[in-house]
Amino acid sequence: MKNILVTGGCGFIGSNFLRLMCTKYPNYNFVNLDKLTYAGNLENLDGVNSANYFFEKVDICDSLKVKTVFEKYAIDTVINFAAESHVDRSIFGAFDFIQTNIVGTQILLENAKEFQVEKFLQISTDEVYGSLSDTGKFTETTPLHPNSTYSASKSSADLIALAYHHTFGLNVLITRCSNNYGPYQFPEKLIPLMIINALNNISLPIYGNGMNVRDWLYVEDHCLAIDSVLHIGKFGEVYNIGGNNEWRNIDIVKLILKKLNKPESLIAFVKDRLGHDFRYAIDSSKITNELNWKPIYDFENGISNTINWYLENKTWWKKIISGEYKNYYKLQYEKARS
Ligand code: NAD
Ligand code: TDX
């Protein structure tokens, strides 16, 4: 591997990945290809100006421009982070989800095939498995049962990627991770939204009764898992990645309030998310046993780092929440109250 195409590198996980990997692998070139949607932010890469980092503002659905980038940098490895990633937005409208997550992924796969890349790593999600009741965990053999148009589009992309492996011998790898948290997460997602609202003394909207459960993983641990899969993962295989760290939404929100010394009276229970998956929990024994990966951060450290980051980077999030985001917030949370 020499020239790695990282799509969606201006988003939350992609930018954390690039920050870590540009330093860790000075001999690799990293080409960040990003459309800069509402979720993409060049400021997420501030400080990453090393000689092995390049940026191209391109939509993965634009096949001609994508091809030009493959040629220009002699791409030999692809890591596809680019996606529409927010379930609530997929409820407002699925078009962009189908375009980017399915059509865009197929365009990348087609170019990867044409340019005979060494590896294609598709970043997927635990949401493709659907929802769990109180017991059990998702393994790599759990049948796909996506419930939102977001997770249905991610499942489609996984299946298309695996078909390129089976049919054309493309060296595809797939990771399915649980909920990430950490620095640079866009304020629409649960943890940053609750931190920011608490700091602004405005209500913290919990969907339904707050009993839904997610398995939280610190973003750097996800990035290190991707690093392992990229280097020693077996082609054609899926690897689950999780934190073994299940929390009910209400308990996470109460913990954030406690750490910020804010009152629980800020909590507001609002109308539930349509089709709200009850519980996600990942069995990551395969990646632990086969690739020797396990999380480094415990939740206490990870959540403290995250809260401190949002406290120390108010300019970053204030700029976001004072722009177009205001319209989204109004639409999403006025609807939730009605
Ligand atoms: P994000 O929404 O923060 O970032 C997505 C990035 O993709 C942005 O920079 C955006 O500009 C870019 N993008 C979107 N459409 C594009 C297009 N058509 N062409 C080029 N770039 C485009 O997302 P994230 O939270 O960083 O998630 C990254 C990946 O990880 C996604 O594939 C997501 O499904 C997956 N994932 C996320 C989580 C999580 O908890 N956030 C968990 C598991 C898997
Ligand atoms: O305002 C809110 N109130 C609330 O109760 C928000 C934004 C969320 N929630 C609940 C919904 C979920 O049960 O919190 C939980 C987490 O919500 P999100 O942060 O929106 O994440 P989720 O829907 O679980 O999906 C995330 O994890 C898997 C990422 O957004 C996906 O990209 C990833 O694939």
Side-chain angles (χ1 to χ4, degrees):
M1 283 185 294
K2 289 189 305 284
N3 302 319
I4 305 184
L5 183 70
V6 175
T7 69
C10 294
F12 163 49
I13 305 173
S15 62
N16 276 284
F17 181 80
L18 283 166
R19 189 168 308 101
L20 288 171
M21 298 302 146
C22 286
T23 309
K24 183 168 179 187
Y25 297 109
N27 297 331
Y28 297 170
N29 292 317
F30 292 92
V31 181
N32 175 10
L33 183 155
D34 198 297
K35 180 184 174 182
L36 296 179
T37 66
Y38 78 91
N41 186 347
L42 281 173
E43 288 172 22
N44 293 3
L45 279 310
D46 275 358
V48 183
N49 48 13
S50 52
N52 61 343
Y53 170 72
F54 306 87
F55 174 66
E56 296 282 347
K57 182 177 184 304
V58 171
D59 182 341
I60 58 168
C61 299
D62 185 336
S63 49
L64 284 181
K65 285 197 182 146
V66 168
K67 186 174 179 173
T68 308
V69 172
F70 271 78
E71 275 167 351
K72 180 174 169 189
Y73 295 96
I75 295 301
D76 54 37
T77 305
V78 179
I79 311 176
N80 183 26
F81 290 93
E84 287 295 332
S85 69
H86 194 37
V87 175
D88 291 326
R89 290 186 193 249
S90 77
I91 296 169
F92 281 130
F95 184 83
D96 289 346
F97 288 76
I98 306 303
Q99 280 303 114
T100 290
N101 300 0
I102 304 177
V103 178
T105 301
Q106 191 270 331
I107 286 170
L108 292 171
L109 286 161
E110 194 55 32
N111 277 282
K113 170 174 155 264
E114 186 181 334
F115 288 90
Q116 300 179 340
V117 302
E118 288 172 29
K119 296 179 188 189
F120 188 106
L121 173 43
Q122 172 67 7
I123 307 297
S124 187
T125 168
D126 60 357
E127 297 198 20
V128 299
Y129 298 119
S131 182
L132 291 165
S133 57
D134 282 322
T135 54
K137 290 190 176 200
F138 299 130
T139 71
E140 289 80 357
T141 55
T142 302
L144 301 189
H145 195 299
N147 292 317
S148 68
T149 52
Y150 162 67
S151 52
S153 66
K154 294 294 290 184
S155 307
S156 308
D158 285 13
L159 294 176
I160 296 167
L162 289 172
Y164 268 77
H165 171 72
H166 184 82
T167 310
F168 304 114
L170 188 68
N171 292 333
V172 167
L173 299 147
I174 294 183
T175 56
R176 294 184 180 143
C177 190
S178 60
N179 287 58
N180 284 214
Y181 69 101
Y184 297 98
Q185 187 164 29
F186 195 80
E188 67 193 354
K189 304 284 167 44
L190 179 78
I191 288 182
L193 187 139
M194 296 301 165
I195 296 172
I196 291 169
N197 282 17
L199 290 173
N200 285 335
N201 299 307
I202 61 173
S203 69
L204 276 55
I206 296 188
Y207 300 154
N209 59 10
M211 295 301 184
N212 300 63
V213 174
R214 296 292 182 265
D215 172 3
W216 293 95
L217 181 71
Y218 193 62
V219 63
E220 279 192 25
D221 279 320
H222 185 190
C223 295
L224 294 175
I226 293 168
D227 183 18
S228 298
V229 172
L230 187 67
H231 284 91
I232 52 173
K234 233 174 104 197
F235 301 137
E237 294 285 315
V238 172
Y239 294 91
N240 281 356
I241 304 167
N244 202 16
N245 177 41
E246 292 181 46
W247 284 77
R248 296 186 308 185
N249 294 337
I250 181 71
D251 297 328
I252 292 247
V253 172
K254 284 185 178 169
L255 178 74
I256 290 170
L257 286 170
K258 193 165 166 223
K259 287 195 173 279
L260 289 172
N261 204 16
K262 298 283 183 176
E264 288 188 7
S265 56
L266 282 173
I267 291 174
F269 290 96
V270 301
K271 197 171 154 190
D272 208 353
R273 172 185 278 176
L274 289 180
H276 197 174
D277 283 340
F278 174 64
R279 174 172 166 261
Y280 304 143
I282 277 277
D283 176 343
S284 35
S285 50
K286 177 175 173 180
I287 188 170
T288 300
N289 294 337
E290 294 183 15
L291 308 187
N292 204 21
W293 172 88
K294 55 179 188 321
I296 294 170
Y297 286 85
D298 63 29
F299 192 63
E300 184 54 41
N301 291 333
I303 197 73
S304 296
N305 284 357
T306 306
I307 291 174
N308 287 338
W309 189 86
Y310 282 87
L311 280 168
E312 286 161 12
N313 290 276
K314 288 187 179 154
T315 322
W316 180 89
W317 55 260
K318 281 190 173 168
K319 199 163 156 188
I320 295 171
I321 66 166
S322 61
E324 173 58 28
Y325 181 75
K326 273 204 288 203
N327 298 331
Y328 162 75
Y329 194 90
K330 206 163 160 242
L331 198 65
Q332 172 63 17
Y333 293 97
E334 274 186 0
K335 186 178 62 86
R337 268 198 296 273
S338 64

